[in-house]
């Protein structure tokens, strides 16, 4: 059945069908992937793009990942611009931030065009973190990289399947560059299955309603996204706001935000030059951070689409940490984008306290532990983003043990999975009850997590930020607490790190993760005494804190 009707009900059905297709893609990838970072943590994202590459429907997963997909598709469209370059059954892949990959080489974007009646009607795409794509270090991440060439295999927007047939040499090149080739291959085929399922769903929708109605529904949804964004933008306080903040590495990051009637302008040009270290990000990656803050301020509860972000104007300077030029390394890009996100949040929070909370722990706290599994003799690599504390708001205390703003709908890997699949034991996971985040409303609690290594000659790599400068409080609330790692060897002195690359580990060494408490809001002495007593009873504060910090009399 086909129809050219564009009544509101039909349009709404098609829009929701796009969302369902993206969610179906997500479920397929989750159920078929081989890596726990994908099937347990859900370090991935799915989406539907229109023929021009704009987001038409977003699935579940990491918000920062969903915002990558449209940018990747646009690069593929631009590169494959000759007749016959893009055909039914083709599938493309990119992981290179200088060629549409946006993030870093571990994250492979898989993209498939969708045709109906010989016409390109949409694109299906997904992205996920892959455990090892080669490079100078296991897990493909190291703070010692000075060039992207050291960070792994680069896929510069290439075709991996042509008209439904696998391009075998390309797949062989991908596999042979990984220390975990079977896992990489399995995860890549899960991504391929995901976009093929999306293609099937979209073809069914287009066949049922007709390509013209399908296209009009997508256009209407984007126009609606723009109208909502502009309506909410008009409610924000107008003006120009600026903040400069010192970072853990001694650099100063600057943001200037102008909120006008019809534009949201972010100026990041006054920032440091790019580094010969993996602490840079791409301009597209920075745009994702800006989109996330803008969405939080305007319409945080509805799905995003290309129209939602039309009011944004981003200004960057090429060759800086926020607009890196090839071949700068970008391995820890996520911490730099988080800094953009958090500096923008902090810049605006004091002007919009009803919309924005105090600072959160604001680090992925990516922890990479690996080696040879003592039972199987195979290479393993644990890739763990960590939970932490969120900032207090005017409405109440911050959330405890949540992922950072970039990670959204993800989960921690269960101890049982880690112990079964990887060469370690999880000895404890507890709330961080150390000081930090006190206020009329309390910042949420971070965690304390112990990994005990089971074999010799393993490795630890980590890159935490907000270690020197913890989450910021608001209106007299105390700052939170830092993110860091304690390395407790079976023999030798305890060492403390915020960043470390390739530290050798041995049997029964303990890697203890501390993630920060969020910032507090308001004077702690104004906290409801009953809440202070509750915190005391639950072991979240001490008797001394109750009396001295919160002013509890009895």
């Amino acid at each position: 059945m086909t129809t050219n009707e564009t009544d509101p009900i039909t349009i709404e059905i098609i829009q929701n069908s796009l969302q369902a297709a993206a969610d179906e893609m997500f479920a397929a990838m989750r159920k078929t992937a081989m890596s726990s970072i994908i099937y347990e943590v859900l370090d991935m994202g799915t989406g539907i793009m229109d023929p021009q590459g704009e987001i038409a429907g977003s699935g579940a997963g990491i918000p920062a990942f969903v915002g990558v997909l449209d940018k990747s598709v646009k690069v593929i469209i631009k590169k494959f611009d000759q007749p016959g370059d893009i055909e039914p059954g083709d599938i493309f892949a990119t992981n290179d931030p200088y060629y549409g990959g946006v993030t870093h080489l571990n994250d492979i974007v898989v993209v498939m065009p969708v045709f109906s009646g010989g016409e390109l009607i949409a694109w299906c795409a997904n992205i996920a973190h892959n455990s090892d794509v080669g490079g100078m270090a296991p897990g493909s991440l190291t703070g010692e990289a000075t060039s992207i060439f050291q960070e792994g295999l680069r896929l510069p927007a290439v075709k991996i399947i042509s008209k439904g047939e696998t391009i075998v040499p390309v797949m062989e090149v991908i596999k042979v560059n990984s220390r975990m080739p079977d896992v990489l291959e399995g995860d890549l085929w899960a991504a391929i299955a995901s976009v093929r399922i999306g293609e099937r769903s979209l073809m069914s929708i287009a066949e049922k309603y007709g390509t013209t109605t399908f296209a009009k529904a997508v256009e209407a949804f984007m126009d609606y996204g723009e109208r909502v964004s502009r309506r909410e933008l008009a409610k924000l306080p107008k003006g120009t706001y600026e903040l400069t903040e010192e970072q853990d590495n001694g650099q100063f990051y600057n943001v200037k935000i102008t909120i006008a009637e019809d534009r949201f302008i972010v100026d990041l040009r006054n920032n440091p030059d790019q580094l010969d270290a993996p602490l840079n990000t791409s301009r597209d990656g920075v745009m994702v951070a800006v989109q996330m803050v803008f969405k939080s301020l305007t319409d945080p509860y509805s799905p995003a689409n290309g129209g939602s972000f039309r009011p944004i104007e981003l200004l960057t300077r090429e060759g800086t940490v926020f607009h890196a030029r090839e071949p700068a390394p970008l391995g820890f890009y996520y911490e730099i984008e988080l800094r953009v996100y958090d500096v923008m949040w902090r810049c605006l929070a004091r002007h919009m306290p009803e919309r924005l909370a105090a600072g959160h722990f604001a680090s992925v706290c990516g922890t990479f532990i690996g080696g040879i599994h003592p039972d199987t003799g195979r290479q393993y690599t644990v890739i763990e983003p960590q939970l932490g504390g969120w900032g207090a708001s005017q409405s109440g205390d911050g959330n405890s043990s949540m992922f950072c703003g970039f990670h959204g709908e993800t989960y921690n890997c269960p101890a049982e999975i880690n112990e079964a699949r990887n060469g370690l034991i999880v000895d404890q996971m507890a709330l961080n009850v150390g000081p930090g985040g006190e206020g009329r409303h309390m910042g949420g609690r971070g965690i304390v997590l112990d990994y005990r290594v089971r074999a010799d000659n393993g490795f630890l790599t980590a890159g935490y930020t907000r270690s020197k400068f913890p989450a910021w409080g608001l209106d007299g609330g105390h700052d939170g607490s830092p993110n860091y790692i304690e390395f407790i060897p079976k023999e030798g002195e305890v060492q403390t790190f915020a960043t470390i690359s390739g530290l050798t580990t041995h049997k029964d060494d303990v890697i203890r993760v501390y993630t920060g408490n969020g910032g507090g809001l308001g004077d702690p002495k104004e906290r409801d005494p009953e809440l202070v007593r509750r915190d005391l009873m639950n072991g979240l504060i001490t008797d001394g804190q109750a009396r001295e910090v919160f002013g509890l009399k009895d």
Side-chain angles (χ1 to χ4, degrees):
M1 169 187 172
T2 61
T3 178
N4 288 323
E5 293 298 322
T6 55
D7 63 276
I9 295 175
T10 300
I11 287 176
E12 185 73 17
I13 290 171
I14 294 173
Q15 291 168 358
N16 282 278
S17 297
L18 294 180
Q19 188 71 37
D23 289 341
E24 189 178 11
M25 289 167 57
F26 188 89
M29 195 166 177
R30 177 183 186 179
K31 290 179 178 179
T32 55
M34 290 187 67
S35 297
S36 58
I37 186 69
I38 300 177
Y39 69 75
E40 288 287 352
V41 177
L42 307 184
D43 200 333
M44 59 175 175
T46 58
I48 309 295
M49 268 53 63
D50 75 359
Q52 291 73 44
E54 297 290 346
I55 299 173
S58 55
I62 295 176
F65 271 5
V66 174
V68 165
L69 299 176
D70 59 324
K71 300 162 184 63
S72 300
V73 170
K74 288 174 184 177
V75 169
I76 290 168
I77 292 171
K78 184 177 180 180
K79 180 175 180 179
F80 295 88
D81 62 347
Q82 298 301 309
D85 280 356
I86 300 173
E87 305 246 40
D90 288 351
I91 297 180
F92 304 83
T94 183
N95 71 340
D96 195 312
Y98 298 110
Y99 296 88
V102 180
T103 58
H104 63 179
L105 298 182
N106 287 85
D107 299 331
I108 299 179
V109 180
V110 173
V111 175
M112 185 175 193
V114 181
F115 290 82
S116 180
E119 178 184 349
L120 178 65
I121 62 166
W123 295 80
C124 297
N126 59 50
I127 179 174
H129 185 103
N130 290 264
S131 299
D132 190 290
V133 292
M136 65 184 290
S140 308
L141 276 171
T142 172
E144 296 175 359
T146 59
S147 163
I148 194 170
F149 295 107
Q150 298 169 310
E151 295 184 320
L153 174 69
R154 301 176 67 185
L155 298 171
V158 298
K159 190 179 292 189
I160 58 174
I161 292 179
S162 177
K163 300 179 185 177
E165 297 296 323
T166 304
I167 304 174
V168 175
V170 175
M171 300 295 272
E172 289 178 339
V173 168
I174 293 172
K175 284 179 60 179
V176 80
N177 274 275
S178 176
R179 296 168 182 83
M180 304 168 66
D182 55 339
V183 174
L184 178 59
E185 181 182 30
D187 290 341
L188 186 56
W189 277 106
I192 292 168
S194 167
V195 293
R196 283 175 165 168
I197 284 175
E199 179 205 31
R200 183 181 65 190
S201 295
L202 296 187
M203 289 174 67
S204 175
I205 298 167
E207 180 180 353
K208 181 175 182 179
Y209 295 100
T211 56
T212 300
T213 302
F214 181 93
K216 287 183 177 180
V218 171
E219 182 181 359
F221 189 35
M222 291 194 188
D223 289 344
Y224 171 77
E226 180 180 7
R227 288 196 303 273
V228 171
S229 290
R230 293 195 184 280
R231 182 186 67 209
E232 295 302 317
L233 176 62
K235 299 176 183 178
L236 301 181
K238 304 304 181 287
T240 297
Y241 311 99
E242 186 172 6
L243 178 70
T244 299
E245 181 187 79
E246 185 176 1
Q247 306 303 306
D248 288 354
N249 65 357
Q251 291 186 311
F252 287 84
Y253 290 170
N254 172 269
V255 63
K256 184 183 292 184
I257 301 172
T258 298
I259 300 177
E261 286 295 332
D262 62 344
R263 288 187 300 167
F264 185 84
I265 306 168
V266 177
D267 189 345
L268 294 168
R269 291 174 292 185
N270 185 25
N271 278 290
D273 291 344
Q274 67 189 47
L275 298 173
D276 292 329
L279 299 173
N280 308 290
T281 188
S282 65
R283 185 185 188 280
D284 278 345
V286 168
M287 176 58 88
V288 174
V290 175
Q291 289 172 335
M292 290 173 60
V293 171
F294 180 76
K295 185 70 173 167
S296 297
L297 288 170
T298 54
D299 183 34
Y301 299 111
S302 68
N305 61 54
S308 305
F309 306 121
R310 288 173 184 164
I312 294 175
E313 182 178 340
L314 173 63
L315 305 174
T316 60
R317 176 171 62 88
E318 189 174 5
T320 64
V321 292
F322 298 146
H323 187 166
R325 183 186 295 121
E326 190 176 359
L330 292 95
F332 290 96
Y333 82 94
Y334 46 84
E335 293 296 332
I336 309 310
E337 290 179 19
L338 257 172
R339 300 276 59 75
V340 177
Y341 173 87
D342 198 46
V343 170
M344 289 180 62
W345 190 290
R346 186 175 188 177
C347 178
L348 296 175
R350 56 187 170 177
H351 305 289
M352 307 176 198
E354 74 286 356
R355 294 176 182 259
L356 300 175
H360 77 312
F361 74 114
S363 177
V364 172
C365 294
T367 311
F368 305 86
I369 305 169
I372 303 301
H373 198 292
D375 300 331
T376 66
R378 295 164 62 91
Q379 172 75 38
Y380 76 92
T381 301
V382 177
I383 305 145
E384 287 263 49
Q386 304 294 354
L387 306 162
W390 276 69
S393 68
Q394 288 191 340
S395 61
D397 294 347
N399 289 321
S400 295
S401 302
M402 301 285 287
F403 281 108
C404 70
F406 256 44
H407 261 254
E409 298 176 67
T410 49
Y411 298 86
N412 61 299
C413 188
E416 295 84 355
I417 298 295
N418 255 331
E419 293 180 351
R421 294 286 304 270
N422 303 311
L424 49 79
I425 294 172
V426 179
D427 282 338
Q428 73 157 333
M429 185 176 186
L431 290 177
N432 182 352
V433 295
E438 297 82 9
R440 181 176 72 252
H441 294 155
M442 294 280 289
R445 295 288 171 172
I447 63 167
V448 182
L449 174 61
D450 283 8
Y451 301 102
R452 180 157 44 91
V453 180
R454 292 182 53 210
D456 288 326
N457 297 317
F459 72 89
L460 165 66
T461 293
Y464 294 11
T465 53
R466 283 251 174 261
S467 183
K468 185 176 180 182
F469 300 102
W472 39 274
L474 275 177
D475 298 333
H478 291 194
D479 289 349
S481 58
N483 304 304
Y484 63 97
I485 284 177
E486 279 186 352
F487 178 61
I488 309 170
K490 186 178 181 182
E491 298 179 358
E493 298 295 320
V494 175
Q495 303 173 66
T496 301
F497 304 104
T499 60
I500 186 68
S501 292
L503 177 72
T504 300
T505 62
H506 297 289
K507 188 176 187 297
D508 290 330
D509 291 347
V510 173
I511 298 160
R512 178 168 293 166
V513 171
Y514 287 88
T515 64
N517 300 333
L521 185 143
D523 186 344
K525 288 186 167 54
E526 296 177 359
R527 186 166 177 78
D528 184 336
E530 289 305 312
L531 295 179
V532 177
R533 293 187 183 93
R534 183 198 65 183
D535 294 341
L536 183 60
M537 180 182 67
N538 289 333
L540 299 177
I541 59 175
T542 64
D543 287 332
Q545 285 177 302
R547 291 192 302 271
E548 297 166 18
V549 178
F550 295 95
L552 191 66
K553 300 300 182 182
D554 50 28

